[in-house]
Every structure is written in C-alpha cells, then in structure tokens.
Amino acid sequence: MRKAEELTEFIPTINTYKKFGRVVRVVGLMIESQGPESSIGDVCRIHLNNGLKGETTIMAEVVGFREEIVILMPYTDIQDIASGCLVEGIGKPLEIKVGMNLLGKVLDSMGNPMDGSQLPRGLSTVRTDCEPPNALSRPPIDDKLEVGVKAIDGMLTVGNGQRVGIFAGSGVGKSTLLGMIARNTKADINIIALIGERGREVREFVERDLGPEGLKRSIVVAATSDQPALMRIKGAFTATAIAEYFRDKGLNVMLMMDSVTRVAMAQREIGLAVGEPPATRGYTPSVFSILPKLLERTGTNEHGAITAFYTVLVDGDDMNEPIADTVRGILDGHIVLDRALANKGQYPAINVLGSVSRLMNHITSPEHLKAAEKLRDLYYTYNKSEDLINIGAYKRGTSPEVDMAIDYEPLITNFLKQSFTDNISIEDTINELVELGVGAGM
C-alpha cells in the first residue's frame, strides 16, 4: 500500500514530453542548434545518422545562448555531426554513479570505467555540479592528518579537511609527491583526478606512483590532454562529486587533483569559444569564477571531511602568474616545489621557506610548533648567508647564529629528504623534529 502511495506521488513529477532541436551550425569547438528548450549546464543528446554505421548519439552540454540559438559543447569528437542532426534535451545536468564498489577503478570524466568493463551494481546517482557547503555548516579543523611525508607532517602540518596547493614548474616532482601521499596517508579513501595528463602518464601513475596497495583504496578519474576541453573540466567536477559522496557518508576523504591549471586552461578554451573577452594573460572572466566554485566544494561539512591537494603548474616557475595567484588566495596553504632543490638531488623538493600551512598553528602542540619554527629560522639564516659561505667570504665566529646554521644545515636537509618508498609515521617525524629543535636550543 505504501509503495502504491509513493508511486502515486511520483507520477505527476514525470516529464512525459521530450524536447528536440536541430543542428544549424558548427563553428570550431561549438555546436549551434535551433532548440531544444534548456538551461545552462543541461546535457543534450545529438543523434547522428552515420549511414552504414547506423544511428549513434554523442553527448553535449549547453554552455551558452545567442538569441534563439543554443550553444553546445560536445563531450567527444564532432566529426560525424551534420547540419540538421536531431538534438534531444535531457533536461538535467550530468549525473554519475558512485559507491564503494568503485574502489580500485580508473574512470573517465563521465564516470565510466576506462578499461571497458561494466559499472558494478548497487551504486548511487549524484550530480557533478553540487554547491559548496554552507559556510556556517563547516566545523572548524582541529585534527591533523598524517600524510607520511616528513617535510609536510613536520614543517607544514596539514589538518583533516584542509585544502592545500602544490605549486611547481614541470618536471619537479608533483606527481611523485602525490603518489607518496596517496600511499602513505591515513585518510579512509583517496580520490585522484588526473586532468590534462599525457595518455602515457595515466597508466604510469597508477602502476608506479600509486601502486597496487594505493589503488586498493583509491578511485582514479582521468581526462587526458587529447580530450575536449569540456571533458577535462568535467573530470575535475566528477572527482569532486565522488569525494563529496563519501564525505557525506561520514568518511575522511583525500582528494588529489593534478592539475587545477589545466582545468583553468580548459575553461579558457570554452570561454573564448563562446565569445568571452580575454582578460588577464588571455584567461577569460569565467576562469576566475569557476575556480572558487570548484575549490570551495572540498573541506569539512557536518558529516565528514575532504582533505584536498591541488597541483598548480606554474609557467616558467613564476609563482605570481594569474592562476597560481588566484588559487593561492582561495586555499588554506601552499607547498612550493623548488627546481633548484630538485637539481641538487633533494626529494621531495619542498621549499619549506616558501611554503605555509595556514592551520598548522591551530592543530600542532606547542613543542612541535616551537621546534618547527627553530629549524625554519636556522634554515633561513643559512640560505641568507649561503653565497658568502660557498665563496669562503664568511669566517666562523663572526656570527653565532650563522655558525649554528652551518652546523645544522646538513641535519635539516637530511630531515627534509625522504625516499619515494619510505613511509614514516607522524609520531616518528615529530620526535625527530623535536630532538633537532632541542639540540639547537629551542
């Protein structure tokens, strides 16, 4: 009886009408159609008549309007689209299937397994374009999260639900660092978004950087650089939606996105294609509006937490380029990878003097914080005088602070170094850090 009542209430909500339009023009990446009635973000199905291939369809999304013309951007190639192709309106944004049965899977931007297998049963349906949590519903972050990297756990401690950017140029070790964090973290589940990566790198990351143990408790979403701009953007939103689903189940989720810069570049392609004027360094205004909408979706809510690491590919190692500057202003901290340190063989090449965790003061013990500040001060003193020391212009005894910095520089560098395969607990990291700090007279 109850089911009958539920069905009776459900029937009036069903839309029995299908809305159609027709393709009238294709310009570059964009498809223009006369109809159907739709809203920004709605998904449409374009019916293709491929002759001997029979009728097939491709998916596209409404990205704008021009008078009575609907502007669509496809999720796939558009080579088979012809004038007059039927456009069917779905009437809702993109939705994906999510659940624990996806663990160990590598998905595309639409949430489908990339190995061609079928989605497992028992999954839930979620939208990819959810709103960020209400600011007043976010509990404060007061617990630290172990990531298994000494330089981060010791000097740049991350809180459970914090959002951190990893800023670096190309080839400095961003993906390797993400792989270390994914394998070593104490989070319940990892969601990894590989956006705009080379096709070769996806499998290499899964098999080498992540490894079998890391993959067992991870879901990977990949959108390679050869895919349309919309697919690259949807990859970021799909990964975030999956992380939100598990957060709402009460889990502590680790979201890693490599890289948010390529999401911005994809949005720039779309913005320019629909006629937006280029602004800062060619980036359109929509780029700077989509970034906070994406990045603010992570963090804490009343159910659980998403700790997020976003890599930012900086052009020419310029940390003040527009995307890096915007992302740094949104996130709760930034980790800078230094090419000079990588060239010296220090891995991970984290520049602790140029990096900051904005929540470290609130989640660490006074002893831990004092030791980290002491080592940071010694490291800064050494770096400030390094040129004089290297050319022999500094004489020991001139400054007690510089003398101590010279003595402790090898110890601090050794503390910051870590093998790719090492997994060091946060307790051991803090004990080693405090021991160094005590020896330096903190």
Side-chain angles (χ1 to χ4, degrees):
M1 185 66 182
R2 186 176 178 183
K3 288 185 177 179
E5 292 177 355
E6 290 176 354
L7 285 173
T8 303
E9 294 176 358
F10 177 69
I11 287 173
T13 66
I14 299 175
N15 186 0
T16 57
Y17 292 95
K18 288 189 175 182
K19 299 174 181 178
F20 293 95
R22 288 199 177 274
V23 173
V24 295
R25 190 181 183 203
V26 177
V27 181
L29 302 174
M30 314 308 294
I31 303 165
E32 298 182 3
S33 72
Q34 188 76 43
E37 182 182 338
S38 52
S39 303
I40 294 289
D42 282 357
V43 175
C44 293
R45 188 181 291 118
I46 302 176
H47 296 261
L48 310 177
N49 189 357
N50 297 335
L52 295 176
K53 297 180 183 178
E55 184 174 300
T56 57
T57 62
I58 67 169
M59 307 299 288
E61 183 173 306
V62 178
V63 295
F65 302 97
R66 186 178 296 116
E67 296 177 353
E68 300 298 321
I69 297 298
V70 179
I71 302 175
L72 303 162
M73 176 160 277
Y75 290 126
T76 54
D77 291 333
I78 61 174
Q79 58 185 10
D80 291 327
I81 294 178
S83 178
C85 283
L86 199 63
V87 181
E88 178 186 351
I90 304 299
K92 58 183 178 180
L94 179 65
E95 295 180 335
I96 57 168
K97 298 286 187 178
V98 192
M100 291 298 293
N101 293 336
L102 289 180
L103 284 175
K105 296 281 189 183
V106 181
L107 309 176
D108 63 15
S109 299
M110 309 290 285
N112 300 313
M114 293 188 69
D115 59 5
S117 63
Q118 296 295 317
L119 282 171
R121 296 179 180 273
L123 302 179
S124 302
T125 302
V126 298
R127 288 177 51 166
T128 62
D129 60 347
C130 300
E131 291 293 323
N134 185 289
L136 296 181
S137 71
R138 293 181 182 266
I141 298 171
D142 49 19
D143 295 325
K144 53 181 174 286
L145 180 70
E146 179 178 342
V147 299
V149 180
K150 288 200 299 181
I152 298 176
D153 285 339
M155 306 292 286
L156 303 162
T157 311
V158 173
N160 187 29
Q162 186 172 349
R163 302 160 304 144
V164 182
I166 299 176
F167 294 73
S170 58
V172 189
K174 297 186 300 299
S175 298
T176 303
L177 180 58
L178 286 184
M180 290 177 67
I181 294 171
R183 288 197 319 275
N184 300 339
T185 181
K186 298 304 180 186
D188 297 323
I189 187 171
N190 299 320
I191 311 298
I192 303 167
L194 303 177
I195 309 300
E197 292 286 338
R198 305 174 188 91
R200 170 187 60 83
E201 291 180 334
V202 174
R203 184 167 181 175
E204 287 184 359
F205 178 85
V206 171
E207 294 182 355
R208 298 180 186 176
D209 296 339
L210 193 56
E213 290 301 315
L215 185 59
K216 283 181 183 177
R217 56 194 187 96
S218 302
I219 299 171
V220 180
V221 179
T224 53
S225 58
D226 60 298
Q227 293 181 324
L230 190 58
M231 285 290 275
R232 281 174 268 149
I233 292 175
K234 287 302 173 185
F237 280 81
T238 294
T240 305
I242 295 173
E244 289 172 325
Y245 170 84
F246 289 111
R247 176 180 63 185
D248 291 343
K249 296 294 183 183
L251 300 179
N252 292 324
V253 184
M254 175 72 74
L255 172 65
M256 287 167 277
M257 188 176 294
D258 184 15
S259 73
V260 71
T261 305
R262 295 192 178 103
V263 177
M265 290 178 174
Q267 181 60 36
R268 176 174 62 182
E269 285 184 42
I270 295 175
L272 292 173
V274 298
E276 279 191 80
T280 311
R281 292 201 189 178
Y283 288 102
T284 57
S286 62
V287 173
F288 301 101
S289 65
I290 197 176
L291 286 176
K293 289 179 181 178
L294 175 64
L295 304 181
E296 285 289 346
R297 288 171 61 179
T298 54
T300 59
N301 70 0
E302 62 270 25
H303 304 293
I306 301 173
T307 305
F309 284 88
Y310 299 97
T311 68
V312 180
L313 182 64
V314 293
D315 293 334
D317 294 335
D318 178 13
M319 296 299 168
N320 294 316
E321 58 95 22
I323 300 303
D325 199 42
T326 301
V327 172
R328 188 168 52 239
I330 297 170
L331 299 180
D332 306 318
H334 54 273
I335 296 171
V336 176
L337 302 187
D338 194 325
R339 192 177 300 276
L341 295 177
N343 292 340
K344 290 196 302 183
Q346 179 175 322
Y347 289 100
I350 296 175
N351 181 350
V352 295
L353 298 179
S355 308
V356 66
S357 170
R358 290 177 177 158
L359 295 176
M360 184 173 176
N361 293 351
H362 306 290
I363 58 177
T364 55
S365 66
E367 187 180 38
H368 176 186
L369 189 61
K370 192 173 180 181
E373 289 174 347
K374 181 63 178 178
L375 293 196
R376 187 185 290 266
D377 182 57
L378 287 172
Y379 204 45
Y380 171 76
T381 301
Y382 179 84
N383 277 269
K384 186 173 62 173
S385 307
E386 186 174 16
D387 290 341
L388 294 176
I389 296 168
N390 289 338
I391 65 175
Y394 175 77
K395 294 183 179 180
R396 291 188 72 93
T398 304
S399 168
E401 292 82 7
V402 177
D403 291 345
M404 180 176 285
I406 294 172
D407 293 335
Y408 270 83
E409 190 274 337
L411 300 176
I412 297 172
T413 300
N414 185 63
F415 172 78
L416 297 175
K417 280 185 177 181
Q418 184 173 339
S419 170
F420 171 68
T421 57
D422 287 347
N423 182 4
I424 302 170
S425 70
I426 193 169
E427 291 80 10
D428 291 343
T429 296
I430 294 173
N431 289 338
E432 184 179 351
L433 178 70
V434 170
E435 186 177 338
L436 282 173
V438 170
M442 69 175 189

